[in-house]
Amino acid sequence: MLNLIALCSPPLLPKSSPNVNLKHFRSINCCSIRKQRKTSLKSSWPSISLALFSSGFILGPLIDGLHSRVDLVVYQNGAINIGPLHTNIWVPPLLGLFYCTVGLLQLFLDERAFSEVPHGSLEKAAWSLIALILFIELSAEMYKNGVADNIEAYILFAAAELLWFSLDRTRLGFTLASVIGIFCPLAEIPLMKFFHLWYYPQANVEIFGLGLVSWTVTCYFAYTPFLVCLSRWLQSTINAADTGKS
């Protein structure tokens, strides 16, 4: 009889553990990651700035030379010619400042992003550089061969969006590239008007009495994904080196 009662009675269950709020731990984890990323940028931005500025100082004029060799832009005050490269003494520091500003702005936005930020890699930075060079070369060749401005603009707009889709695919990245694409050509106006550094001999748009080429907007747009990939790779490399030292 005792055996029968023992068999029929429910087994003793272990005391249930208190409920664990997984969302709370996820939020703490995300906050700690963002805090760590913020701290790393706060401590490493001087090194990243120097690397970005140096990249723009050296690499920028070489890429810009793809346009100047077909006389899309003609340099005036301070113009220098180094073999086939036509540039200006102010172009290296200006492009260094451009690289540094856009790269740091992207990293600043990354540290405040609520979604996961892509990790920078040398491979992605290299592919983005190749894509940018091909894009600039395509625009130069179409200009050289007399392709109509509106047709070239359509082709380059499509190519620029394809480049963004291949390398970034984020709304923030598209917005940043659009803002840079609009703002940077406008920023050229005071440099041309007051300092006479360069001009566009076949401009098709006139703003404040100065001529611009409409599709250069797409060139600045296409530049942005490369600078995003470059800045993220530099940040990951510098942070890894600092971690190794500590």
Side-chain angles (χ1 to χ4, degrees), residues 43-127:
S43 61
S44 62
W45 76 265
S47 300
I48 297 174
S49 300
L50 180 60
L52 286 170
F53 184 87
S54 301
S55 300
F57 192 94
I58 298 172
L59 188 60
L62 298 178
I63 298 176
D64 179 70
L66 298 175
H67 277 166
S68 61
R69 72 176 176 82
V70 297
D71 293 330
L72 169 68
V73 57
V74 176
Y75 290 105
Q76 295 175 286
N77 294 342
I80 54 175
N81 298 318
I82 306 175
L85 177 64
H86 308 295
T87 186
N88 187 291
I89 58 174
W90 290 104
V91 167
L94 286 172
L95 286 175
L97 183 63
F98 171 63
Y99 275 48
C100 184
T101 303
V102 176
L104 287 180
L105 177 59
Q106 179 60 53
L107 297 180
F108 176 81
L109 295 174
D110 282 350
E111 73 175 10
R112 281 158 176 77
F114 290 97
S115 57
E116 185 178 355
V117 176
H119 184 72
S121 66
L122 175 59
E123 181 180 3
K124 193 169 184 179
W127 279 114

Side-chain angles (χ1 to χ4, degrees), residues 151-224:
I151 296 177
E152 182 166 2
Y154 292 143
I155 295 174
L156 293 179
F157 269 111
E161 292 183 12
L162 178 61
L163 197 152
W164 162 80
F165 184 80
S166 302
L167 297 172
D168 188 80
R169 301 188 187 185
T170 64
R171 294 181 181 179
L172 179 61
F174 187 89
T175 303
L176 179 63
S178 300
V179 170
I180 291 172
I182 296 172
F183 175 77
C184 286
L186 297 177
E188 292 186 20
I189 293 177
L191 297 175
M192 293 189 293
K193 187 176 184 64
F194 299 112
F195 301 100
H196 307 288
L197 297 183
W198 61 77
Y199 71 95
Y200 294 94
Q202 296 188 28
N204 61 352
V205 176
E206 187 173 310
I207 302 177
F208 301 120
L210 291 173
L212 297 172
V213 178
S214 58
W215 49 261
T216 55
V217 171
T218 64
C219 297
Y220 283 108
F221 184 100
Y223 230 119
T224 308

Side-chain angles (χ1 to χ4, degrees), residues 16-29:
S16 59
S17 59
N19 294 331
V20 178
N21 192 344
L22 296 178
K23 292 184 178 179
H24 176 67
F25 281 101
R26 288 196 198 101
S27 63
I28 293 176
N29 189 31

